[in-house]
């Protein structure tokens, strides 16, 4: 077996790199999405918790982008697959597992766009960035389907166990976040209405105070 | 709580990548050295190269010679035609 390793690496090295980086990318995207949803839901209100979560979320997201980049480059360099630049850059061009690889390309674009938009949030506006950032769950969902449909290692029990075990809390947290976002917007609406009423009464109150 | 260092995440990811790379290399090498089992599994994971071409490269399709198959027809059984017995018409000629 040892003597077969150089031959394996020379013929299938890029495939091994693409498979390994894909698993790493999926694990990191899962971790990043999980941390992001946990942060947004604010289930723990300990001092320093948010800061730690934010740092971990950012680091896992950046590491995931690096892993996705390596995965794309390894697929491009695979001498057996020969996808060409169009095959990895344009969704649904690669005819091997056309649909599943197509959604993988879309997931990669979304990951870079939504991930790196964090550093441009001052330019695009915090509100718009926050709205766009909510779509990051799509990166995870598309990535999961891409892995299940086109992945070489998705038949392994370990991968299926990881995907299944992590998908459930992510789904629960996502639903919790949607509920929290709805409650927040309702609270803001009520606060704005109360503010308007208080603003309308303020001059009268001031006048009264002045006269007393 | 202390803020985690970015290096920890990168080292963790890199370690996972290296472990996967080594495991897959050994798995594929083992499959290559033994002609059955995992080699077949690998072949299943990587389908025929003809399928992997992109749309930009024209494909020349070769039609496989089709085997002539004799159409199977059920053997027709002879069925006695049913007919009514018509009584002979007697015509009288004067």
């Amino acid at each position: 077996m040892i003597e077969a390793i150089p031959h394996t690496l020379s013929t299938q090295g890029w495939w091994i790199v693409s498979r390994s980086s894909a698993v790493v990318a999926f694990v990191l995207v899962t971790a990043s999405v999980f941390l992001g949803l946990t942060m947004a839901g604010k289930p723990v209100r300990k001092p320093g918790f948010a800061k730690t979560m934010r740092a971990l979320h950012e680091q896992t997201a950046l590491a995931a982008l690096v892993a996705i980049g390596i995965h794309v480059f390894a697929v491009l360099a695979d001498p057996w697959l020969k996808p060409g630049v169009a095959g990895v850059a344009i969704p649904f061009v690669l005819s091997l597992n056309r649909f599943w690889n197509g959604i993988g390309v879309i997931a990669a674009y979304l990951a870079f766009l939504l991930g790196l938009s964090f550093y441009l949030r001052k330019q695009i506006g915090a509100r718009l960035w926050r709205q766009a950032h909510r779509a990051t769950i799509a990166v995870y969902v598309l990535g999961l389907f891409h892995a299940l449909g086109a992945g070489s290692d998705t038949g392994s029990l370990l991968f299926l166990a990881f995907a299944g075990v992590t998908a459930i809390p992510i789904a629960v947290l996502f639903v919790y976040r949607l509920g929290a976002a709805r409650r927040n917007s309702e609270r803001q609406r009520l606060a704005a209405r109360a503010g308007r009423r208080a603003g309308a009464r303020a001059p009268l109150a001031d006048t009264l105070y002045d006269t007393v | 709580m202390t803020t985690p260092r970015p290096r920890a995440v990168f080292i963790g990811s890199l370690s996972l990548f290296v472990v996967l790379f080594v495991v897959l290399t050994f798995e594929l090498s083992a499959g290559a050295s033994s002609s059955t089992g995992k080699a077949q599994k690998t072949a299943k994971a990587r389908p025929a190269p003809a399928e992997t071409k992109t749309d930009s490269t024209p494909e020349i399709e070769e039609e496989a010679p089709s085997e002539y198959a004799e159409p199977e027809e059920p053997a027709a059984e002879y069925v006695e035609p049913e007919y009514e017995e018509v009584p002979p018409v007697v015509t009288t000629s004067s």
Side-chain angles (χ1 to χ4, degrees), chain A residues 1-2 4-5 8-9 12-13 15-17 19-21 23-24 27-28 47-49 51-52 55-56 59-60 63 66 78 80-81 83 87 93-96 98 152-153, chain B residues 1-10 13-14 16-17 20-22 24-33 42 45-56 59:
Chain A
M1 191 185 76
I2 301 292
I5 288 174
T8 304
L9 287 175
Q12 296 178 316
W15 187 37
I16 297 168
V17 172
R19 285 169 71 178
S20 309
S21 56
V23 173
V24 173
V27 169
L28 287 166
F49 178 77
K51 198 181 169 189
T52 308
L56 266 176
Q59 289 158 20
T60 47
V66 172
D78 192 339
W80 180 86
L81 192 61
V93 165
L94 188 66
S95 61
L96 174 71
R98 188 189 297 273
S152 305
D153 302 299
Chain B
M1 260 185 201
T2 54
T3 310
R5 288 179 185 177
R7 215 166 51 177
V9 175
F10 277 96
S13 311
L14 193 66
L16 180 62
F17 176 82
L20 286 166
F21 187 88
V22 171
L24 286 172
T25 305
F26 272 89
E27 194 184 300
L28 289 172
S29 302
S33 58
T42 309
R46 305 212 92 177
E51 282 181 48
T52 63
K53 286 177 183 170
T54 53
D55 286 349
S56 54
E59 276 185 42

Side-chain angles (χ1 to χ4, degrees), chain A residues 188-202:
Chain A
Q188 277 173 2
R189 202 170 55 83
L190 288 171
R193 196 188 290 171
R196 274 200 302 274
R197 277 183 194 162
R201 278 178 199 156

Side-chain angles (χ1 to χ4, degrees), chain B residues 9-10 34 36 45 68 77 86:
Chain B
V9 175
F10 277 96
S34 65
T36 55
Y68 175 72
E77 278 183 42
V86 181

Side-chain angles (χ1 to χ4, degrees), chain A residues 20 26 43 52 54-55 66-67 72-73 85 88 90 103-104 114 118 138 153 171 181 186 192-193 205 211:
Chain A
S20 309
F26 184 71
T52 308
R54 199 177 302 128
V66 172
V72 171
F73 184 77
V85 177
V88 294
I90 306 169
I103 60 171
L114 297 171
F118 174 75
D153 302 299
E186 184 69 18
R193 196 188 290 171
T211 51

